[in-house]
Amino acid sequence: MTPSEVLKLAKEKNVKSVDMKFTDLHGTWQHFTIPVNEMTLDIFEEGLGFDGSSIRGWKGIECSDMLCMPDPKTAFIDPFTEFPTLSLICDIEDPMTREPYDRDPRGIAKKAEQYLKSTGIADTCYMGPEAEFFIFDDVRYSNTSNACSYSVDSCEGIWNTDREEFPNLGNKIRHKEGYFPVPPMDQLNDLRDEMMHVMNDLGLKIEKQHHEVATAGQAEIDIRFDSLLNMGDKQMMFKYVTKNVAHRHGKVVTFMPKPLFGDNGSGMHVHSSLWKDGKPLFGGDGYAGLSQLALWYIGGILKHAPALCAITNPTNNSYKRLVPGFEAPVILALSARNRSAICRIPTYSPSPKAKRVEFRCPDPAANPYLAFAAIMMAGLDGIQNKIDPGEGMDKNLYDLPPEEAKKLKMVPESLKGAIEALNADKDFLLKGGVFNEDFLDNFCALKKAEYDQVRLRVHPIEYAMYFDV
């Protein structure tokens, strides 16, 4: 869609407001709104100014002016506003240099696609995330100097089997048994259906929706794969739709990786593949029907996985999920079909077009633009350096004998460990100027501050364990 076509669409849909959306470092959409009469062809060239110092991790107050540049190809009619509103996803520019702002996540995704083409290896990287999330009925939390608490609730929560519901009809999903009973045990099918249909109406091309493994409303909705930048945009729209559909039904969605103790957390398995001139490059006669290029790509992901975790699993809470026994792979290995390996090769179809690698470590707290770009950069480094991924591990890696298990490498156990890994292994991200030192130093500093926020606080379980010492 061109700028002129955007203006035409606004007139056809009787649009009253135009919403400018952009993504901060943490993967959260920010926005401001203008009346439709302020949307002229000029804003697509000249941009709209805003205060970058008020965005977490961006400019200092002494150089805060930034430009928001709407991308006409991203225009959509917002389904959640009272007044007819056209939304545009934006890039960020420095108003002095008119260069893309190097801390803009969407700009990094664009640079990643440009770098891919410059290598000559491929011209398209397809991404297919499987983002899981929880739908809760109530959430409460508090942190003060003398107390801390949290509580979430769900109509499906197994802990509500004896709650007064006038009447309580049961239909509570037991821990790890949410994959996937039919209604009435699954009480959220209609809500997920509504999310799916809204997404389809917005052009997201949904493949399926279903309940996930955990109790208390864990869900998954799968988007059809798309190119790296487009999928970053779609993943942001995905979160926007799920949260707003839930909100209008008096519920709340969270993409927090591990909101419940003792049950599965929410992952975001990311499928990726490289194509060139419209042809897939990952099919071949190697392990699991892969090409040598695909195996090198996986070798790069396995080598750089500890560093990737800082970007693909960017919260303290992420590492509550990355433990054995809850379907979250932590072992750096390649396997066909085996879901306990961190890199899995789906075997649903023998077609070369279907050959891809599923990186199972990431979670939906990740900024999608950064996560997809970093995964691809790791894979490209594997191809460029012909990194061998090792033998496929076609066994349950959680049940290995101790002498075998101790030989395997694992992802970091904490956000601090992931930050340290990224600081020690970041050259692959700097290629082609996709990421730069300023971005990575700033990102690691922000994440170190998050780690310290948790490290310094007293946890309630510590009272249970140590109060009587």
Side-chain angles (χ1 to χ4, degrees):
M1 189 176 292
T2 65
S4 296
E5 290 170 335
V6 173
L7 268 61
K8 181 180 178 182
L9 174 65
K11 186 175 182 180
E12 290 174 351
K13 298 296 184 180
N14 195 30
V15 163
K16 302 295 184 184
S17 302
V18 181
D19 202 54
M20 305 294 174
K21 294 179 168 68
F22 61 94
T23 305
D24 68 12
L25 282 178
H26 299 269
T28 301
W29 250 355
Q30 310 291 331
H31 81 128
F32 61 88
T33 308
I34 62 174
V36 70
N37 57 282
E38 290 293 315
M39 184 178 68
T40 64
L41 291 176
D42 290 343
I43 71 168
F44 293 95
E45 293 293 331
E46 298 175 4
L48 295 165
F50 70 99
D51 176 10
S53 69
S54 297
I55 305 300
R56 297 177 296 174
W58 277 18
K59 288 286 190 179
I61 196 168
E62 74 283 358
C63 54
S64 60
D65 290 350
M66 305 292 291
L67 283 177
C68 195
M69 307 297 298
D71 184 341
K73 297 188 296 296
T74 66
F76 67 95
I77 301 300
D78 196 307
F80 301 110
T81 54
E82 179 178 353
F83 296 99
T85 299
L86 184 144
S87 283
L88 290 159
I89 301 175
C90 303
D91 297 309
I92 307 302
E93 286 187 4
D94 186 303
M96 302 300 292
T97 66
R98 296 308 304 263
E99 292 293 323
Y101 181 43
D102 58 11
R103 293 186 185 179
D104 172 25
R106 191 171 191 264
I108 288 173
K110 279 189 167 183
K111 287 189 285 187
E113 289 193 327
Q114 293 164 1
Y115 174 67
L116 172 64
K117 293 175 182 177
S118 76
T119 65
I121 294 170
D123 52 40
T124 306
C125 180
Y126 285 116
M127 293 285 173
E130 299 175 357
E132 299 164 348
F133 54 95
F134 279 85
I135 305 168
F136 290 135
D137 296 310
D138 189 68
V139 56
R140 309 177 194 193
Y141 50 89
S142 174
N143 292 279
T144 63
S145 62
N146 69 315
C148 63
S149 66
Y150 75 87
S151 175
V152 296
D153 206 359
S154 164
C155 59
E156 292 183 349
I158 188 61
W159 52 83
N160 283 324
T161 53
D162 65 347
R163 182 172 67 175
E164 286 285 357
E165 294 182 352
F166 309 103
N168 188 325
L169 299 177
N171 297 324
K172 314 301 182 190
I173 293 176
R174 289 181 287 271
H175 290 298
K176 297 192 176 187
E177 294 188 21
Y179 192 86
F180 22 57
V182 299
M185 188 68 77
D186 176 2
Q187 298 185 45
L188 298 170
N189 184 67
D190 288 343
L191 186 63
R192 295 193 310 271
D193 256 358
E194 183 176 337
M195 293 172 179
M196 176 177 70
H197 294 312
V198 172
M199 291 179 195
N200 263 329
D201 290 344
L202 291 173
L204 267 62
K205 295 184 180 178
I206 302 303
E207 293 183 331
K208 62 178 177 295
Q209 62 88 355
H210 59 83
H211 204 289
E212 255 300 337
V213 173
T215 186
Q218 193 182 32
E220 180 178 316
I221 301 176
D222 296 335
I223 310 175
R224 178 77 55 85
F225 67 89
D226 205 339
S227 59
L228 191 154
L229 177 65
N230 287 343
M231 186 51 72
D233 291 342
K234 289 181 177 181
Q235 189 64 20
M236 297 305 300
M237 292 174 68
F238 176 96
K239 288 189 172 184
Y240 184 67
V241 169
T242 54
K243 290 181 178 183
N244 278 281
V245 170
H247 182 73
R248 69 188 182 191
H249 288 275
K251 297 181 184 290
V252 63
V253 158
T254 180
F255 289 89
M256 183 177 176
K258 187 75 169 181
L260 300 177
F261 171 70
D263 211 335
N264 283 23
S266 293
M268 185 179 71
H269 310 150
V270 179
H271 299 250
S272 62
S273 63
L274 297 180
W275 291 52
K276 187 173 184 180
D277 298 328
K279 297 179 181 179
L281 302 180
F282 275 15
D285 55 7
Y287 175 76
L290 295 175
S291 65
Q292 182 61 67
L293 181 139
L295 290 168
W296 287 333
Y297 182 93
I298 294 168
I301 291 176
L302 293 177
K303 176 183 177 180
H304 299 299
L308 285 176
C309 282
I311 296 172
T312 62
N313 304 79
T315 69
N316 283 285
N317 186 253
S318 298
Y319 298 86
K320 304 293 195 299
R321 167 183 167 261
L322 291 179
V323 294
F326 294 91
E327 288 199 11
V330 295
I331 298 170
L332 305 184
L334 158 69
S335 181
R337 305 180 66 182
N338 185 353
R339 283 176 162 80
S340 62
I342 202 168
C343 283
R344 186 179 80 95
I345 310 306
T347 57
Y348 300 122
S349 170
S351 170
K353 294 182 178 180
K355 288 301 176 185
R356 60 197 188 274
V357 57
E358 177 190 15
F359 185 37
R360 292 177 57 79
C361 177
D363 66 55
N367 183 317
Y369 298 111
L370 303 181
F372 300 158
I375 291 168
M376 187 196 74
M377 293 297 287
L380 289 178
D381 187 68
I383 294 169
Q384 290 163 332
N385 291 288
K386 300 182 178 180
I387 299 174
D388 183 359
E391 297 294 323
M393 303 288 287
D394 296 322
K395 60 179 76 174
N396 188 340
L397 302 179
Y398 299 141
D399 292 333
L400 292 177
E403 60 274 14
E404 287 188 54
K406 68 181 182 182
K407 298 177 183 178
L408 297 175
K409 295 180 180 179
M410 298 191 180
V411 298
E413 294 183 349
S414 69
L415 181 59
K416 180 183 179 183
I419 295 167
E420 291 172 346
L422 178 56
N423 278 323
D425 178 26
K426 58 186 176 182
D427 288 349
F428 73 99
L429 295 172
L430 300 174
K431 292 181 178 180
V434 176
F435 293 80
N436 63 24
E437 293 276 5
D438 171 73
F439 178 90
L440 294 175
D441 289 347
N442 178 59
F443 183 86
C444 288
L446 290 170
K447 292 301 166 181
K448 177 60 166 57
E450 288 182 26
Y451 173 78
D452 287 341
Q453 284 287 322
V454 173
R455 180 177 65 88
L456 295 173
R457 277 172 168 74
V458 179
H459 192 287
I461 196 66
E462 293 177 303
Y463 272 84
M465 296 172 68
Y466 307 129
F467 188 74
D468 59 348
V469 296

